[in-house]
Amino acid sequence: MKETIYGRFRFITLIYILFLSVSALTRTVLLIKSLNMLDMSLFELLQIYLIGAFFDFAAASYLVIPFTLYLLFVPQKLFGHSVHKYLSHIFTYAVIFALVFYSFSEWFFWDEFSVRFNFIAVDYLVYTTEVIGNIRESYPMGMLLSVIAVIAAAIFWVVHRLGYINDISKDDRNFRGRLKPTVFYLMFPVIFSMGMPQELSKISQNQYANELGKSGLYSLFSAFRNNSIDYDNFYAREDEKEMFSNLKNVLSTKNSIFVHPKENDTVRQIVNRGEEKDYNVMVLTVESLSGKFLESLGGEGGLTPNIDALAKEGMFFSNFYATGTRTVRGMEAITLSIPPTPGRSIVKRPDNHGMFSSGFIFKNKGYETKFIYGGHGYFDNMNEFFSNNGFDIVDRTDFTDEEDTFHTTWGVCDEDLLNKTLKEADASYKTHKPFMSFIMTTSNHRPYDYPDGRIDIPSHTGRDGAVKYTDYAIGDFLAKAKTKPWFKDTIFVIVADHCSTSAGKTELPLDKYRIPMIMYAPFIIKPQVIDKVASQIDIMPTLFSMLNWSYKSKFYGNDILDDSFKERALIGTYQKLGLYKDGVLTVLSPGKKVQSYKVLKTDAFETQYEDISTDEHTKEDTISYYQGASLLHKKRMDRYDN
């Protein structure tokens, strides 16, 4: 042991000490910030720190790999040189600066999402242009970097005074002598790579406590490794034939006929009576529009007067849920009508061309279909996905200077986006073709900047202002649309992609998935409130029924307005997969775990659960949805082959 920590390898020990200390301090700060969300015993508090330290140690073991190899191979003649000594001082300061920067990053990520680094952080590392631009627009980076630099300098001074850096160069071991400490330090990441039970961090029913027991850096490593999760290896399964039999039962409706009743697939013919309609369709997907912002869903009111008015003038779905917590999850659910399979969204996977998409169905009916986005559609693989699944692309590259009057790093403001949408609709109308537009807003996103003078909340002051501005832009858009000749023949769908926050005291808090959904067409749809439990996967089947279309379907959603509609909502994260129906949430987790919760209370702000035993029938339904979706995607049987 002594041989591993003296001389040059003392630097590795220094990194461990610094990383574990910074991580413990970060955990303490995050814990204090979340005290109002925690209700834990002294034993749970002890677990948070001990288990957290264990994951921190594992993360540090990966972190030191390149340093360990460098210290093994660099010859002593070079290592002991005075130039190298000064370089080691600079490098040590850089490492300390990086650790302090990491701690600050954890704080801001927790402030935004109330979780440690996860899939979102992975995406942030991939899309550096948008993310760095967003950070620069959202935070005073000059001041923050200066503060970090000063803190790092203070830590460096302490380390230097303790003699850690100077002692590093005092090492006369040859290559063979350096092998023993190298093997010692590399032993740990090898052991941890063989399997780290993530269940260790599940120390409480309170999800905030579980997140505090994790290591941000280790969670980031884990997210990189688990961007695709094989259902069969990690989740509860049923016999394939029995699973498909049950899946067909939950998907069946009175107007559907299974094309292959004895085969393991879900292909069915949807038959709607009466003359088919060719109404235009505009699906306005609003960034992060939680139910809590709407007075019509129990919110405080005042932020969304236009959307609340539409809830009274249109068909308002008051018990509606997003399938996930990311924009791409909302996109896949709406366009493909599929549950949230484990791992990353279909939108971001490489093999996602030619899916059974609503875009192809609209095109087959003679529609012009467009994905309209105010940002750059390469972000989150959106252009690649939509262009290969039945949509033409209109993104920021298609906006002229005159059309782009205000923008942030995420894209043009919602007014500019919706004005462009009106122009695209006019162009389609002139071709005498019906049109379908999938529109994605961006203004309700940090840095929450928007044009001045539109609303009574100053720009760049927080989420409330961004929500109210987006509502203003939607009101302005519809007022202009009413002057268009195509308005009376158009169905507008206003729906959120996901909620503004995803974390809660429980793993899948229903209130963090509850979103508004309104279908508005004053010449077509009578005002009414639909209180059935439903989700984003049901939007397209409901629209197609309203249009009286008959079509072949591989969708997992159904027509909400049908008397035979089976109420339920499918919600999930990249690992947790849930089915909410009949007041019970059943959750599938890695390790083939199945857990059910009775919903005692749920509204726009809070969900209260009680653990209950899992009903066998509900378990079968939950497994059927997710095992079926994962299996059909693996076998490429979820493609458009009409």
Side-chain angles (χ1 to χ4, degrees), residues 199-213:
E199 291 77 12
L200 277 176
S201 64
K202 187 174 175 57
I203 60 180
S204 170
Q205 293 298 319
N206 187 304
Q207 192 63 14
Y208 284 89
N210 294 335
E211 289 293 330
L212 288 169

Side-chain angles (χ1 to χ4, degrees), residues 571-620:
I571 65 175
T573 64
Y574 74 98
Q575 284 190 331
K576 306 291 183 180
L577 311 172
L579 173 66
Y580 172 51
K581 73 169 189 175
D582 299 329
V584 173
L585 175 66
T586 300
V587 180
L588 307 180
S589 305
K592 304 185 184 299
K593 295 181 179 180
V594 184
Q595 177 64 53
S596 291
Y597 307 90
K598 182 179 181 181
V599 180
L600 304 177
K601 173 190 176 183
T602 184
D603 56 28
F605 296 94
E606 183 184 9
T607 304
Q608 295 178 3
Y609 292 131
E610 177 184 69
D611 288 13
I612 60 173
S613 59
T614 302
D615 174 75
E616 191 63 29
H617 180 69
T618 303
K619 176 182 175 181
E620 290 174 358

Side-chain angles (χ1 to χ4, degrees), residues 92-112:
T92 301
Y93 176 79
V95 169
I96 295 172
F97 183 93
L99 290 175
V100 178
F101 184 88
Y102 156 77
S103 180
F104 273 65
S105 301
E106 280 248 62
W107 163 269
F108 288 113
F109 195 81
W110 184 276
D111 186 55
E112 180 79 7

Side-chain angles (χ1 to χ4, degrees), residues 262-512:
K262 295 184 179 180
E263 296 182 18
N264 292 343
D265 64 31
T266 60
V267 183
R268 57 202 188 277
Q269 187 68 37
I270 307 297
V271 180
N272 284 304
R273 307 298 178 186
E275 180 184 357
E276 290 196 351
K277 310 293 184 183
D278 59 356
Y279 297 132
N280 308 307
V281 175
M282 285 188 167
V283 178
L284 181 54
T285 312
V286 184
E287 173 71 40
S288 304
L289 188 64
S290 302
K292 66 180 182 180
F293 296 128
L294 276 70
E295 185 176 359
S296 50
L297 282 176
E300 295 179 1
L303 293 181
T304 57
N306 292 296
I307 298 176
D308 283 323
L310 290 175
K312 297 177 181 178
E313 298 168 11
M315 184 181 293
F316 177 49
F317 296 80
S318 61
N319 218 345
F320 200 80
Y321 295 86
T323 62
T325 60
R326 297 298 315 281
T327 296
V328 286
R329 281 299 189 191
M331 288 177 169
E332 74 173 13
I334 295 171
T335 56
L336 306 180
S337 185
I338 58 172
T341 48
R344 56 178 40 194
S345 163
I346 298 293
V347 176
K348 301 201 65 175
R349 297 183 191 179
D351 185 20
N352 65 7
H353 294 186
M355 302 291 295
F356 190 86
S357 164
S358 54
F360 290 127
I361 296 176
F362 275 109
K363 273 192 177 294
N364 194 41
K365 296 289 186 179
Y367 278 62
E368 285 196 348
T369 56
K370 296 176 183 178
F371 168 61
I372 306 176
Y373 180 53
H376 293 289
Y378 63 76
F379 183 81
D380 268 350
N381 206 44
M382 290 186 285
N383 280 358
E384 180 75 9
F385 171 77
F386 278 98
S387 64
N388 288 285
N389 286 291
F391 292 86
D392 296 325
I393 304 297
V394 179
D395 73 353
R396 188 170 175 179
T397 60
D398 299 297
F399 284 71
T400 65
D401 291 341
E402 291 74 22
E403 291 171 332
D404 177 3
T405 67
F406 185 96
H407 64 260
T408 68
T409 190
W410 293 113
V412 302
C413 66
D414 288 350
E415 284 176 273
D416 290 345
L417 169 69
L418 296 175
N419 285 333
K420 181 72 169 179
T421 298
L422 292 172
K423 290 183 179 180
E424 294 295 329
D426 289 341
S428 294
Y429 180 75
K430 288 179 181 178
T431 66
H432 304 290
K433 284 187 175 183
F435 57 85
M436 185 274 175
S437 303
F438 188 107
I439 308 131
M440 184 69 230
T441 73
T442 60
S443 289
N444 186 23
H445 195 297
R446 193 180 293 276
Y448 312 127
D449 279 355
Y450 42 85
D452 293 327
R454 303 304 198 268
I455 59 173
D456 57 1
I457 302 176
S459 176
H460 201 70
T461 56
R463 173 81 71 178
D464 285 358
V467 170
K468 193 165 187 177
Y469 169 72
T470 292
D471 177 80
Y472 164 85
I474 291 172
D476 178 68
F477 165 68
L478 289 174
K480 292 174 180 176
K482 288 177 181 178
T483 67
K484 303 292 184 178
W486 44 261
F487 175 78
K488 66 181 188 323
D489 295 317
T490 302
I491 298 175
F492 298 87
V493 179
I494 295 92
V495 64
D497 58 348
H498 57 83
C499 286
S500 60
T501 58
S502 59
K505 292 183 179 181
T506 52
E507 293 174 328
L508 292 178
L510 282 172
D511 55 289
K512 300 303 189 296

Side-chain angles (χ1 to χ4, degrees), residues 267 269 356 360-361 364 551-554 639-642:
V267 183
Q269 187 68 37
F356 190 86
F360 290 127
I361 296 176
N364 194 41
Y551 61 99
K552 188 182 290 186
S553 175
K554 295 182 181 179
R639 312 295 156 145
Y640 189 81
D641 52 11
N642 287 26

